[in-house]
Amino acid sequence: MKRTLSKVIYNRGISPSYHLLGLRWEGRIDPGQFFMLRPWSFDRFDPLLNRPFGVYRVFEGGIEILYKVVGRGTRIMTGLKEGDEVILIGPLGRGFPFMEGWEEVSIVSGGVGIAPFYHLIQWIREKGSFPALSLYHGGRGEEDLVGIEEFERAGVTVNIATERGTRGYRGLISDLFKRDLEKGKVRPSAVLSCGPKGMLKEVALICRERGIPCYVSLDRMMGCGIGTCLGCVVRTKGGYQRVCMEGPVFESEEIVWEEL
Amino acid sequence: MGGTVDLSVDIGGMRLRNPVMTASGTCGYGEELAPYMDLRRLGAIVVKGLSLKPRPGNPPPRMTEVPSGLINSIGLQNIGVEAFVRDKLPSLMDLGVPVIANIFGEDVEEYCLLARRLDGSGVAAIELNISCPNVKKGGMEFGRIPEEAHDLVREVRRATGLPIITKLSPNVRDIKEMAMAVEEAGTDAISLINTIPAMAIDVERRRPRLSSIIGGLSGPAIRPIAVRMVWEAYQAVKVPIIGVGGIMGASDALEFVIAGACAVQIGTATFIDPAVCEKVLKGIEEYMDRHGIRRFVDLIGSLEVS
Ligand SMILES: Cc1cc2nc3c(=O)[nH]c(=O)nc-3n(C[C@H](O)[C@H](O)[C@H](O)COP(=O)(O)OP(=O)(O)OC[C@H]3O[C@@H](n4cnc5c(N)ncnc54)[C@H](O)[C@@H]3O)c2cc1C
Ligand SMILES: Cc1cc2nc3c(=O)[nH]c(=O)nc-3n(C[C@H](O)[C@H](O)[C@H](O)COP(=O)(O)O)c2cc1C
């Protein structure tokens, strides 16, 4: 069954707004898939709905979620303690593709959008594949640069942009990525991206202009996460599709960006 | 436990093994829930509202959360009755659980065509969603005016031999009046309530939270209203009543039953726990054991008012 009562192994802050939550879990997870999590008890109805989260890391007997505090639900989540029980539904949706022929892959992420990619890299390495990997990660400032060292340790070329210019390129990560593409510093066979809507649109456009296949993970408010409520749809060339079932990862050319 | 109590109920000629059903629009076409619970445990499965032709539904955003509730404006997105009968119904029927088709149309004729199409298809009953604008009559909902609801049910009654459950909207002057109107027109049962018209605003952006501005409120926030309406309808009509609205657990379901419902539907709670129907059923059994009640039907309308 894909619905379990899981237990909190640990929950700790790693920066003022980013936290790591370790949960008991066993099974196979494709990179980019997600879980619906209820960080409070079933009979507390405000907030009412479960929250979707990707998987940052998979370890023996558990998963780690990297989360950012953005509202009430994630604030309540910071109060979870070792041993607490939570409803965990998943793994759900369709994750990132990875094709054997890809020699070089660029990842473009913004803020907490970095979350699904550490697991992706773990997974690629475990498969015994060694494409050249570059990460383009952006944020407002230092506070959005979590987990960067782990990517470096995993052999990923890391490029940083901050809007305030406190580290790396000053400005938007999509601009840095575009500049590097123009200079020929990276020549990705495919681009994988997750982050704020504006960034995703920009990355999709950059890839379209150059004919590079691009896959984006979309963030939508979800009612159920399992395909029943039809609340999380996005407009695609083939009509409305559910982010929770047909996504969260879509080929960027499928999305009708003007309506996102 | 379990084997000792009799949970079965009759609704308009349908015999249900137990009184717990899914609510329309919250379990897809059944298959979506299969990985999470044993669907054969359900009393009946009520599928997503069906129309004659497929409908794309409303543009996003379609859903927003409010205290103890949810406002949705899915816009009745569905695959249409033909695709349902061809692609979804056969495997649903293999489960051996009665399948109830929820239908809606834009005029009386569409409802009748749908009912006729489903007659003999294998569905056990149809549920009429009458909270839909009657396009031919200027867009006023069938569910708001007793005379319109009456005429609609009467015509559908003529079109099909299937049991008819009429699903009432809470958006009415007097629920008793509505219940009596559809009873007189020949409905076999009524279900209530559908969602309550509601609205939420993002004050920072001064924009509605939903693309359609107004949506339907569901979840625990609406339960006391739904219980009251079941109680009122129970005083007014003899046809079986199915209680819907904000049921999150067994004791919520029992409130409806004690108020007069002979079965319940569970909607929004399924989003939080896709196995909730099984939990509710188990809780009802435990309650009956604890109170020494052998037959579920003895609980219906058992409210003590002194
Ligand atoms: C498939 C999927 C995977 C996800 N994976 C992760 C993950 O790994 N880590 C993680 O931290 N989050 C992830 N999210 C986003 C996460 O679900 C939301 O941040 C969370 O539901 C917010 O709940 P809340 O109650 O704290 O905020 P709410 O009270 O629901 O929202 C509060 C405010 O924050 C805004 N908001 C909501 N979501 C975001 C967001 N993502 N970024 C910025 N502002 C937002 C809202 O517009 C609102 O104004 C994922 C979402 C999806 C769909
Ligand atoms: C997302 C969503 C979709 C729904 N779709 C339908 C529908 O297609 N037809 C219908 O008659 N009712 C529909 N409903 C109403 C429910 O069946 C139910 O009457 C209502 O949600 C109240 O019950 P609840 O509080 O348990 O959810 C829908 C409700 C929700 C939340």
Side-chain angles (χ1 to χ4, degrees):
Chain A
M1 286 278 161
K2 284 165 88 179
R3 169 198 170 279
T4 48
L5 274 181
S6 171
K7 275 217 165 91
V8 174
I9 308 171
Y10 56 84
N11 184 26
R12 59 168 184 270
I14 51 171
S15 82
S17 57
Y18 287 82
H19 299 250
L20 288 172
L21 175 66
L23 295 172
R24 292 231 166 282
W25 202 81
E26 245 158 289
R28 192 196 126 104
I29 303 163
D30 295 336
Q33 284 191 305
F34 68 99
F35 285 84
M36 291 301 282
L37 171 69
R38 189 166 192 77
W40 46 90
S41 88
F42 176 83
D43 19 298
R44 170 175 183 173
F45 302 134
D46 185 25
L48 183 66
L49 298 168
N50 303 344
R51 299 292 195 257
F53 290 95
V55 174
Y56 184 60
R57 223 156 50 86
V58 178
F59 55 87
E60 189 69 38
I63 56 172
E64 185 173 85
I65 289 171
L66 170 70
Y67 67 98
K68 183 178 180 183
V69 178
V70 298
R72 278 184 70 207
T74 42
R75 203 167 313 120
I76 295 169
M77 215 161 138
T78 61
L80 285 173
K81 302 234 151 31
E82 184 188 341
D84 286 351
E85 272 194 346
V86 290
I87 294 181
L88 190 63
I89 301 165
L92 303 167
R94 297 206 299 219
F96 288 103
F98 180 76
M99 291 167 204
E100 287 307 329
W102 290 353
E103 286 172 5
E104 184 175 343
V105 175
S106 291
I107 294 166
V108 186
S109 62
V112 74
I114 198 169
F117 293 117
Y118 191 71
H119 176 223
L120 176 85
I121 285 159
Q122 261 189 328
W123 181 85
I124 291 176
R125 294 289 190 245
E126 273 163 25
K127 273 164 52 88
S129 276
F130 294 90
L133 294 169
S134 55
L135 170 72
Y136 284 81
H137 180 66
R140 297 241 164 75
E142 205 70 22
E143 70 277 13
D144 286 320
L145 309 178
V146 293
I148 297 305
E149 300 74 24
E150 300 198 66
F151 282 85
E152 280 170 344
R153 250 178 274 135
V156 178
T157 311
V158 174
N159 307 276
I160 302 286
T162 51
E163 284 170 49
R164 287 200 299 272
T166 46
R167 201 187 325 169
Y169 178 85
R170 175 195 283 270
L172 300 174
I173 193 62
S174 48
D175 290 342
L176 175 62
F177 179 55
K178 190 170 168 180
R179 196 191 68 182
D180 282 2
L181 279 172
E182 276 162 3
K183 283 200 208 150
K185 217 179 130 191
V186 281
R187 302 171 190 279
S189 327
V191 172
L192 311 178
S193 191
C194 181
K197 202 156 62 176
M199 184 203 86
L200 292 181
K201 265 188 193 176
E202 205 44 48
V203 172
L205 188 69
I206 292 168
C207 290
R208 174 185 296 171
E209 284 166 353
R210 292 166 180 78
I212 307 170
C214 172
Y215 298 86
V216 294
S217 181
L218 300 182
D219 180 356
R220 270 296 158 113
M221 186 220 164
M222 285 182 181
C224 67
I226 62 171
T228 63
C229 78
L230 309 179
C232 66
V233 299
V234 286
R235 171 83 89 193
T236 69
K237 289 186 178 147
Y240 288 129
Q241 299 211 330
R242 298 166 293 188
V243 170
C244 69
M245 293 292 279
E246 286 78 44
V249 177
F250 291 90
E251 204 176 333
S252 69
E253 284 302 297
E254 285 303 305
I255 305 292
V256 180
W257 289 99
E258 303 73 50
E259 289 185 36
L260 193 77
Chain B
M1 200 210 70
T4 59
V5 297
D6 176 8
L7 286 162
S8 64
V9 282
D10 275 311
I11 295 175
M14 258 191 309
R15 181 118 191 115
L16 306 187
R17 267 197 299 256
N18 71 64
V20 179
M21 321 177 182
T22 56
S24 178
T26 58
C27 67
Y29 301 104
E31 63 195 8
E32 289 87 348
L33 279 191
Y36 307 98
M37 71 168 291
D38 182 359
L39 295 170
R40 287 167 302 190
R41 294 273 288 147
L42 290 165
I45 298 176
V46 186
V47 298
K48 175 77 191 156
L50 297 165
S51 47
L52 277 177
K53 295 265 142 46
R55 281 172 58 109
N58 288 334
R62 293 176 165 189
M63 205 173 250
T64 188
E65 197 184 37
V66 292
S68 300
L70 171 71
I71 310 178
N72 89 80
S73 66
I74 306 303
L76 298 164
Q77 175 179 341
N78 79 98
I79 58 174
V81 70
E82 288 307 327
F84 170 73
V85 171
R86 188 184 62 230
D87 304 334
K88 307 287 179 183
L89 189 55
S91 57
L92 263 181
M93 282 176 53
D94 287 344
L95 294 167
V97 171
V99 176
I100 299 174
N102 179 285
I103 62 170
F104 66 94
E106 292 185 346
D107 54 42
V108 175
E109 200 190 327
E110 279 192 23
Y111 278 94
C112 291
L113 286 170
L114 279 159
R116 219 168 280 139
R117 177 66 189 88
L118 289 163
D119 215 339
S121 68
V123 303
I126 52 178
E127 182 178 57
L128 302 182
N129 175 4
I130 62 170
S131 316
C132 275
N134 183 350
V135 171
K136 281 208 179 135
K137 287 237 173 121
M140 186 57 128
E141 286 170 26
F142 294 98
R144 284 203 195 185
I145 307 159
E147 294 73 30
E148 286 229 353
H150 177 278
D151 292 353
L152 173 65
V153 173
R154 191 190 53 206
E155 293 309 315
V156 176
R157 176 75 290 161
R158 287 187 185 142
T160 180
L162 288 169
I164 298 173
I165 301 164
T166 307
K167 185 167 182 180
L168 302 186
S169 161
N171 198 20
V172 292
R173 187 177 51 195
D174 180 359
I175 199 79
K176 299 188 286 294
E177 204 183 6
M178 265 325 277
M180 288 189 292
V182 298
E183 178 178 58
E184 203 207 69
T187 196
D188 296 288
I190 58 179
S191 53
L192 69 161
I193 58 176
N194 212 317
T195 55
I196 301 178
M199 177 170 167
I201 296 170
D202 177 344
V203 295
E204 291 303 321
R205 297 164 59 237
R206 291 197 223 172
R207 288 183 154 271
R209 296 241 180 227
L210 300 177
S211 70
S212 59
I213 305 177
I214 291 173
L217 179 64
S218 67
I222 72 169
R223 190 176 64 241
I225 298 171
V227 171
R228 185 262 296 174
M229 288 190 161
V230 165
W231 167 246
E232 287 184 336
Y234 184 66
Q235 317 293 302
V237 296
K238 298 218 162 45
V239 290
I241 296 168
I242 302 166
V244 204
I247 296 174
M248 308 306 283
S251 84
D252 303 340
L254 286 160
E255 268 198 74
F256 282 91
V257 174
I258 294 165
C262 63
V264 292
Q265 294 178 355
I266 300 177
T268 302
T270 310
F271 299 161
I272 296 173
D273 184 353
V276 69
C277 288
E278 278 184 313
K279 275 197 338 205
V280 169
L281 190 58
K282 202 160 155 251
I284 293 175
E285 286 174 343
E286 278 166 10
Y287 175 89
M288 289 170 65
D289 269 349
R290 191 151 45 83
H291 288 265
I293 297 160
R294 301 285 312 254
R295 294 169 357 126
F296 172 77
V297 289
D298 294 337
L299 268 174
I300 300 168
S302 61
L303 183 70
E304 309 258 358
V305 195
S306 51

